[in-house]
Amino acid sequence: MSNISINMDESYRRLSQNDSQLLQGKKALVRVDFNVPMTNGKIDDDSRIKGALPTIQYLLDNNCAVVILSHLGRPKGKVVESLRLDPIAQRLEELLGRTVKKMNACIGEEIQNAKKSLTSGEVLLLENTRFYSEETHNIASFSRELAENMDFFVQDAFGCVHRAHASVEGVTHFLPSMMGLLVEKEFEALKGVFINRKKPLTLLIGGAKIDTKIGVIRNFLPIADTILIGGGLANTFFNAKGYDVKDSLVEIDKASTALSILQDAGEEACQILLPRDFVVAKDISDTAETRVLNRKNGDLMNDGEKILDIGPETIQQFSEVIANSQTVIWNGPAGLFEFSPFANGTKELGKAIEDNNNTTIVGGGDSVDAINRFGFDETKFSHISTGGGAMLEFLEGKMLPGISALKKSHEL
Ligand code: ADP
Ligand code: MG
């Protein structure tokens, strides 16, 4: 692992290191990660909102006016009614105990006027940044409009710092910019983990964001001793190996990537374990009828069935690997844990990680939701990160654009 370098530079600007006199009466633009798991307009887990409270409170205590930016889900550059930030504004208002004015846009005259007339102690939440295609394309004119009428920028969206998006990276070109308290806490904790990591190191990866996670697996081949693959991600590997996954979540066009990862793993002396058995069902509900199939025994799926959790043999095998690891990094649930017939894999592997007294790190919105939902003892994990992809990229030793941008930023 000695060939991996990480930027541990201490010169990034931090909110916590500012002279509080400088902050008085200023207008702070804060990027947070309020991309919380939601079902039917209700917030499943508000950990990410709570995570941003210290920074928001710190700014308010220093008589700043605060304008908040976040994305939610993947609306792909269009307004999607179910992805408006109104439920989040309401929850934030409850948690802060003060009025949060929710706006229905991020840019435009109405927003600029609202920013101009803001006074100390006021909080404005702008609309979902990903309603604008300029956000993910990092368009400078959009970043400039976000920055207009503001005095400085605070990066507190740890879950997004691996993205060079307009509200994450672009905006730092137009305002003095610094790390918020959450990003600073994550940065310090993960830096510690990275420096002190011990082998054997196991990565447990699952979840649904296959397109982004498959690249992560490749990057971990030189770092991890074992990679355990669960969740929807495993289906892409099954499909690549010629197993018909029927109606399961799968990325057919990633088959060659999956096969080449398996091949490269051999060369890197990294063991990749795929589930031996899994739980299938036709419906996704709390009363779904399920079957356990074993791929190695040649069990086949029926039309209309989906793979929704790992099976008992896999749970046992993966739990043993976890128990024998000095470092465990976990991102992505092992199954569709939000429904009880498919919760077992995530619950049992979570328990195995909780029981491991060595270094254990968990990250990702849904993974943290699972930890809270199953009532795990948070103090038994070395670090629980609000970021999934960002945490993994940091632990790969990559430069994260949302953090490295804070170095070149000009004076307040
Ligand atoms: P995280 O937020 O922790 O990074 P992801 O967003 O990638 O994780 O994935 C979480 C989602 O993946 C959960 O909502 C879970 O229900 C879903 N999931 C896990 N396994 C499966 C599966 N086999 N089929 C469909 N969805 C799955
Ligand atoms: Mg998620």
Side-chain angles (χ1 to χ4, degrees):
M1 288 194 283
S2 55
N3 60 338
I4 298 152
S5 65
I6 195 163
N7 199 318
M8 297 301 179
D9 203 308
E10 296 296 328
S11 67
Y12 300 118
R13 281 190 75 142
R14 296 164 189 232
L15 179 63
S16 62
Q17 288 169 346
N18 273 290
D19 179 350
S20 114
Q21 274 316 104
L22 273 178
L23 301 177
Q24 302 297 316
K26 294 240 162 53
K27 292 179 184 177
L29 182 67
V30 188
R31 177 56 155 103
V32 298
D33 179 8
F34 285 168
N35 184 29
V36 291
M38 306 230 318
T39 313
N40 300 327
K42 287 191 76 181
I43 299 168
D44 292 327
D45 183 76
D46 61 4
S47 302
R48 283 180 164 173
I49 305 180
K50 287 183 176 147
L53 291 178
T55 288
I56 298 170
Q57 198 58 57
Y58 183 94
L59 291 165
L60 294 171
D61 291 346
N62 280 287
N63 296 317
C64 291
V66 180
V67 176
I68 303 173
L69 291 167
S70 179
H71 79 282
L72 174 66
R74 294 175 164 192
K76 306 211 165 125
K78 284 201 273 301
V79 174
V80 174
E81 289 303 324
S82 61
L83 294 176
R84 288 198 181 273
L85 300 191
D86 299 70
I88 290 169
Q90 208 182 338
R91 187 79 192 100
L92 179 62
E93 207 164 72
E94 288 162 18
L95 291 167
L96 272 180
R98 71 167 80 199
T99 307
V100 172
K101 191 164 180 218
K102 160 70 179 40
M103 306 302 287
N104 290 322
C106 292
I107 53 169
E109 209 183 312
E110 199 189 331
I111 302 296
Q112 298 308 345
N113 289 337
K115 290 200 279 191
K116 270 186 222 160
S117 60
L118 266 189
T119 57
S120 291
E122 287 186 313
V123 181
L124 214 63
L125 174 65
L126 303 187
E127 190 52 280
N128 191 337
T129 53
R130 288 198 192 161
F131 284 181
Y132 300 83
S133 63
E134 294 91 332
E135 164 72 339
T136 51
H137 293 117
N138 201 4
I139 303 297
S141 57
F142 181 67
S143 303
R144 189 185 301 116
E145 283 190 76
L146 294 176
E148 226 172 282
N149 295 306
M150 302 306 296
D151 295 314
F152 66 101
F153 174 70
V154 179
Q155 177 65 272
D156 217 26
F158 184 73
C160 310
V161 291
H162 59 317
R163 309 267 185 224
H165 289 173
S167 70
V168 178
E169 193 274 340
V171 71
T172 66
H173 298 277
F174 299 99
L175 286 173
S177 303
M178 58 197 78
M179 255 184 208
L181 305 181
L182 173 67
V183 168
E184 181 172 5
K185 189 172 116 191
E186 293 265 14
F187 182 78
E188 289 303 325
L190 291 172
K191 196 168 81 175
V193 166
F194 186 83
I195 293 169
N196 301 318
R197 68 200 187 285
K198 294 195 181 73
K199 286 168 103 49
L201 185 149
T202 298
L203 171 69
L204 167 62
I205 188 152
K209 282 183 226 146
I210 307 173
D211 51 340
T212 55
K213 294 190 184 193
I214 208 146
V216 168
I217 297 178
R218 176 178 298 287
N219 295 334
F220 266 87
L221 295 178
I223 304 170
D225 297 283
T226 306
I227 301 179
L228 307 172
I229 300 181
L233 204 55
N235 304 339
T236 296
F237 285 87
F238 294 154
N239 169 69
K241 286 165 84 77
Y243 187 80
D244 188 350
V245 296
K246 299 291 183 186
D247 283 5
S248 304
L249 181 73
V250 63
E251 280 210 313
I252 306 280
D253 62 349
K254 289 279 157 42
S256 60
T257 313
L259 289 178
S260 79
I261 286 173
L262 293 175
Q263 196 176 359
D264 294 349
E267 284 157 28
E268 293 279 0
C270 173
Q271 169 180 236
I272 294 189
L273 295 181
L274 296 173
R276 291 175 174 170
D277 58 347
F278 36 78
V279 178
V280 302
K282 285 191 175 165
D283 323 315
I284 296 178
S285 76
D286 278 319
T287 53
E289 255 180 61
T290 61
R291 304 197 294 145
V292 174
L293 299 186
N294 193 312
R295 198 168 48 95
K296 293 267 155 75
N297 294 349
D299 296 346
L300 296 178
M301 292 175 67
N302 295 329
D303 287 344
E305 283 183 330
K306 304 172 196 45
I307 300 175
L308 297 167
D309 196 11
I310 56 173
E313 241 187 70
T314 306
I315 292 176
Q316 198 188 343
Q317 185 197 22
F318 283 16
S319 297
E320 277 166 25
V321 172
I322 290 167
N324 292 320
S325 301
Q326 288 290 321
T327 306
V328 183
I329 301 167
W330 177 26
N331 169 242
L336 212 142
F337 71 95
E338 295 91 338
F339 293 88
S340 54
F342 320 114
N344 214 31
T346 306
K347 201 193 287 178
E348 291 301 319
L349 295 187
K351 195 171 173 327
I353 298 173
E354 184 188 45
D355 288 344
N356 180 314
N357 294 323
N358 302 314
T359 303
T360 51
I361 308 115
V362 186
D366 293 285
S367 308
V368 174
D369 177 18
I371 286 192
N372 294 334
R373 203 181 282 234
F374 298 137
F376 291 123
D377 179 354
E378 292 192 14
T379 64
K380 291 197 172 162
F381 297 85
S382 310
H383 182 61
I384 297 181
S385 175
T386 50
M391 171 190 80
L392 293 172
E393 289 198 21
F394 189 97
L395 294 172
E396 278 167 32
K398 268 200 190 156
M399 285 291 287
L400 305 177
I403 290 181
S404 50
L406 305 177
K407 213 161 112 181
K408 28 183 209 283
S409 121
H410 43 293
E411 291 301 305
L412 189 62

